[in-house]
Amino acid sequence: MSSCHHNHHNMDINGCDAKISDTHLPKKPKLSPTLISDTELESEFSHHVQNIARINNGSFGCCPKSVMSAQQKWQLEFLKQPDDFYFNRLKEGILQSRLVIKDLVNADHVDEISIVDNATTAAAIVLQSVAWDFIQGKFNKGDAAVMLHYAYGAVKKSVEAYVTRAGGYVIEVELPFPVNSVSEIISEFRRALERGKVNGRKVRLAVIDHVTSMPSVVIPVKELVKICREEGVDKVFVDAAHGIGCVDVDMKEIGADFYTSNLHKWFFCPPAAAFLYCRKSSEIDDLHHPVVSHEYGNGLAIESAWIGTRDYSAQLVIPKVLEFVNRFEGGIEGIKKRNHKVVVEMGEMLAKAWGTHLGSPPEMCSSMIMVGLPASLGISSDSVALKLRTHLRNSFSVEVPIYYRAPGDGVVNPVTGYARISHQVYNKPDDYYRFRDAINQLVNDKFTCELLS
Amino acid sequence: MDTNGADTKISNTYLPEKPELSPTLISDTELLSEFSHHVQNIARINNGSFGCCPKSVISAQQRWQLEFLKQPDDFYFNRLKDEILKSRLVIRDLSVAWEFLQGKFNKGDAAVMLQYAYGAVKKSLEAYVTRAGGYVIEARFPFPVNSDSEIVSEFRKAVERGKINGRKVRLAIIDHVTSIPCVLIPVKELIKICREEGVDKVFVDGAQGIGCVDVDMKEIGADFYTGTLNKWVFCPPGAAFLYCRKSNEIDDLHHLVVSHEYGNGLAIESAWIGTRDYSAQLVVPQALEFVNRFEGGIEGIKKRNHKAVVEMGEMLAKAWGTHLGSAPEMCSSMIMVGLPASLGISSDSIALKLSTHLRNNFSVDVRIYYREPGDGVVNPVTGYARISHHAYNKPDEYHKFRDAVNQLVNDKFTCALLA
């Protein structure tokens, strides 16, 4: 991992407190000598409602008890004597968290790491700055922004609210699903960029998911970023809501201008914390937190560390989270590998049991995988998929999101529904057997979704 | 659903039971216990900065946090929206940039704010209004201030400046209670002036609002009003409300963090801005229950705070031979008290250093304000302390502050001595 080599002794424009980051390098927590035992693990997640097959870590993540306790300690520290906390502790605490993240993601400098609530907020920050560029004439009206068709719904709305509203032209990259190889994605992406450059337009921004949400597929971001550079795309923003703990997250490897990942999904933080990485460049990125407070103009990382009185504890607890992660064999890498291995196994088990198929090859999935549901269930629309999800929760105690995929023309008895199963350290094989059996029962009972009100 | 996202059907059927004033009022012992997490032996006379949160509300908040973590999908789909609605109903019962950029306003049209508007809000105006081409005017008024009329006349002048050369005044931002120096602003009168002078919209910043001053949306008549809930109403950090008066025009207000509910009205947008901890917002009904354990509920707390802070302010001013920064009727649950001139408070940063010195050496938490002396004034008072009073405060804390300053004066301390 790199450390801060720069030795500026001034505050640079991006708010880098270079002197502090050299002397305050956090002790890299060693992998714990005694690994977490099964009993301890169960206890850490004993607050999860029991007897539920909670196979949806991808939606809201999870938080172990020891991290919750650490968070409550931070919350109490503030309430005990807030003035002292604000003046003497908060900034340093946030800096420590940023240093932890910098090391985890192989960023060059801690200035490049800002902590925000969630990926949705990070998207608003990047997109708002694009809006200003359009409005202030730096970009021409009609210049393009490219995003994936399977971009997250909230991010699509953010693109509409900021880019379209400011005069940008939005292009969606259609991706096939099920998908069989990365080359399918790469060629569609190239086509979309070409559309973006028609009539002398420039492509000002590409928004690329690292792992799409629904349907969930690992996108070859490194290759797509390279294509963006070849084709002269101004800026690339990688939305890795499912990032740290789910896929390999290496800022220098990936080479994006902006990269965001949630920490409460796959990195055990309490709700909610995420980081936004902004690659240092010779241009000044005029990124601001949309909630403007005293630190306006001091760089995004510093701005984000104070956006008014609120609870910063989820951001302050990050070093403690790293300690938790390091109680597992191989730390976050080990957790990630094991999650991937098991979710593929379970996915294949389910596909076999139901006579269906996976939504993507195993190498294109992370700690989540899409599994086709039997066509006889008759999943016929997005809202029906949601109703089936509710039915599975209420009648079978299975928590899993369902994706509806409109059938291609002329396909006989198509699979129109896919379950997105997740695996995290608290999951057990039984969770997936319960899901398998629930679906088998529905099929045996000749259940169709028409029966759902 | 109307355009502002009002779920009018729900609000009629889901009226929360208005919590009755508790039959047994909170006892002194219970009150001490509720705030026993506050560091002891500190004169914590700065509720105005960060507020406070009693133990029973902290517990309620932790219960909400756990509810989410236990089974988040169920919480998100089945509980969150209804519970946020309940919080909004409790509040109901108790109170620019795109327009410039899209040509609805002309570049150079004005926004008017007070000279003593909160620093962060001033930066927000710069980031959004100035950057988009608006012209920002500050309404200056004197401090110390002696009467409402001083503020009213200066404000009128500022609005008139805003209309020079055919400009329109698109927005007036008015603090309900300025932060530092702390003065209660006659918002109702200022809004009347705004209406008379054709100001498009009025936004009242009531950061020190509910629980500190009378907050009645219809009385005040603003288009937008915001009030924090974690300062004076015992919510944990950070929750606040934004009131947007219904009007025939559609106010195109959006939460800046855009998520799934974009376009469904600000209230609905704000109830989901991505995965985060909503517990401080969900706990509002429990905070109101706590409030109602006091005699007279929020009204009683407010009146007693005001009475006590004025008494303590006058006691300090007398002990130090100084004066109050405003007439008592122009203060809320906070008051500005002049500090002895001999301390030599000479700048904003010196004022901050003195505040740190008081915390570290005398265990007093209080905000200090630096006021530049007028020309030719002999031995002027250049520093004012902003003291707050809330339910947990005791007279001893103000005595401690009095004695600390007296000691500094006796020791011939001046701020030049601070590093």
Side-chain angles (χ1 to χ4, degrees), chain B residues 74-226:
Chain B
D74 174 61
F75 191 86
Y76 171 77
F77 284 108
N78 299 325
R79 303 197 57 196
L80 179 61
K81 283 187 176 166
D82 274 352
E83 300 296 344
I84 298 266
L85 179 62
K86 283 190 193 148
S87 292
R88 286 168 55 212
L89 288 167
V90 165
I91 297 166
R92 179 198 68 176
D93 288 344
L94 283 174
S95 71
V96 121
W98 284 106
E99 272 82 4
F100 278 103
L101 299 166
Q102 296 187 302
K104 182 175 162 199
F105 297 165
N106 293 320
K107 298 259 192 289
D109 278 351
V112 172
M113 67 175 175
L114 304 186
Q115 171 190 15
Y116 297 126
Y118 190 60
V121 172
K122 285 189 169 187
K123 296 215 167 189
S124 209
L125 270 158
E126 180 195 322
Y128 286 110
V129 175
T130 309
R131 188 175 184 184
Y135 180 74
V136 177
I137 293 172
E138 285 193 7
R140 310 189 77 86
F141 60 84
F143 180 82
V145 62
N146 297 312
S147 76
D148 282 352
S149 55
E150 291 175 33
I151 298 178
V152 171
S153 58
E154 286 300 327
F155 186 78
R156 213 185 258 292
K157 281 205 275 260
V159 174
E160 274 155 27
R161 286 206 314 278
K163 292 164 71 172
I164 290 175
N165 293 336
R167 273 198 298 244
K168 286 217 68 185
V169 180
R170 297 298 186 177
L171 177 70
I173 296 187
I174 305 174
D175 298 68
H176 199 156
V177 179
T178 51
S179 171
I180 195 106
C182 186
V183 176
L184 177 56
I185 303 293
V187 288
K188 191 174 171 187
E189 286 84 337
L190 298 191
I191 291 175
K192 259 183 32 201
I193 293 172
C194 288
R195 304 301 183 207
E196 287 163 11
E197 298 290 326
V199 171
D200 274 25
K201 296 281 176 187
V202 182
F203 169 40
V204 175
D205 175 2
Q208 315 272 7
I210 290 190
C212 191
V213 281
D214 291 332
V215 174
D216 183 323
M217 295 297 109
K218 296 211 267 280
E219 250 306 275
I220 292 168
D223 298 292
F224 311 110
Y225 187 108
T226 186

Side-chain angles (χ1 to χ4, degrees), chain A residues 47-49 52 54 56 59-63 68 71-72 75-76 78-84 86-88 117-118 120-121 124 128-129 131-133 135-136 152-155 157-162 165-166 264-265 270-273 286 288-296 306 309-311 386 389-390 393-394 399-400, chain B residues 37-39 42 44 46 49-53 55 58 61-62 65-66 68-74 76-78 97-99 101-102 118-121 123-129 131-132 230-231 236-239 252 254-262 264 272-278 352 355-356 359-360 365-367:
Chain A
H47 54 287
H48 286 193
V49 174
I52 287 192
R54 181 168 162 157
N56 185 25
S59 280
F60 299 106
C62 64
C63 184
M68 283 163 63
Q71 182 191 23
Q72 285 174 0
Q75 286 166 337
L76 197 57
F78 173 80
L79 294 172
K80 280 162 64 170
Q81 198 182 358
D83 296 70
D84 173 61
Y86 172 78
F87 284 110
N88 300 325
D117 273 357
N118 46 40
T120 304
T121 304
Q128 193 180 50
S129 101
W132 278 114
D133 285 336
I135 284 156
Q136 296 185 302
Y152 190 59
V155 172
K157 296 218 165 182
S158 208
V159 169
E160 179 195 324
Y162 286 112
R165 188 175 184 184
H264 51 265
K265 274 195 201 282
D286 207 8
H288 293 284
H289 199 290
V291 178
V292 176
S293 189
H294 302 297
E295 301 285 2
Y296 181 67
W306 185 258
T309 299
R310 62 193 304 266
D311 183 353
L386 186 57
R389 176 178 181 174
T390 306
R393 179 185 308 118
N394 294 343
E399 190 60 67
V400 69
Chain B
H37 55 287
H38 286 193
V39 174
I42 287 192
R44 180 167 163 158
N46 185 25
S49 279
F50 299 105
C52 64
C53 187
K55 281 210 149 105
I58 296 174
Q61 183 191 23
Q62 287 175 355
Q65 288 166 337
L66 193 58
F68 174 79
L69 293 171
K70 281 163 63 171
Q71 198 181 354
D73 299 73
D74 174 61
Y76 171 77
F77 284 108
N78 299 325
W98 284 106
E99 272 82 4
L101 299 166
Q102 296 187 302
Y118 190 60
V121 172
K123 296 215 167 189
S124 209
L125 270 158
E126 180 195 322
Y128 286 110
V129 175
R131 188 175 184 184
N230 49 269
K231 275 192 201 284
D252 205 8
H254 293 284
H255 200 289
L256 293 166
V257 176
V258 176
S259 188
H260 303 297
E261 301 284 4
Y262 180 65
N264 290 337
W272 186 259
I273 51 169
T275 300
R276 60 194 301 271
D277 184 352
Y278 293 89
L352 183 58
S355 175
T356 305
R359 178 179 311 113
N360 294 343
D365 263 335
V366 70
R367 278 204 72 175

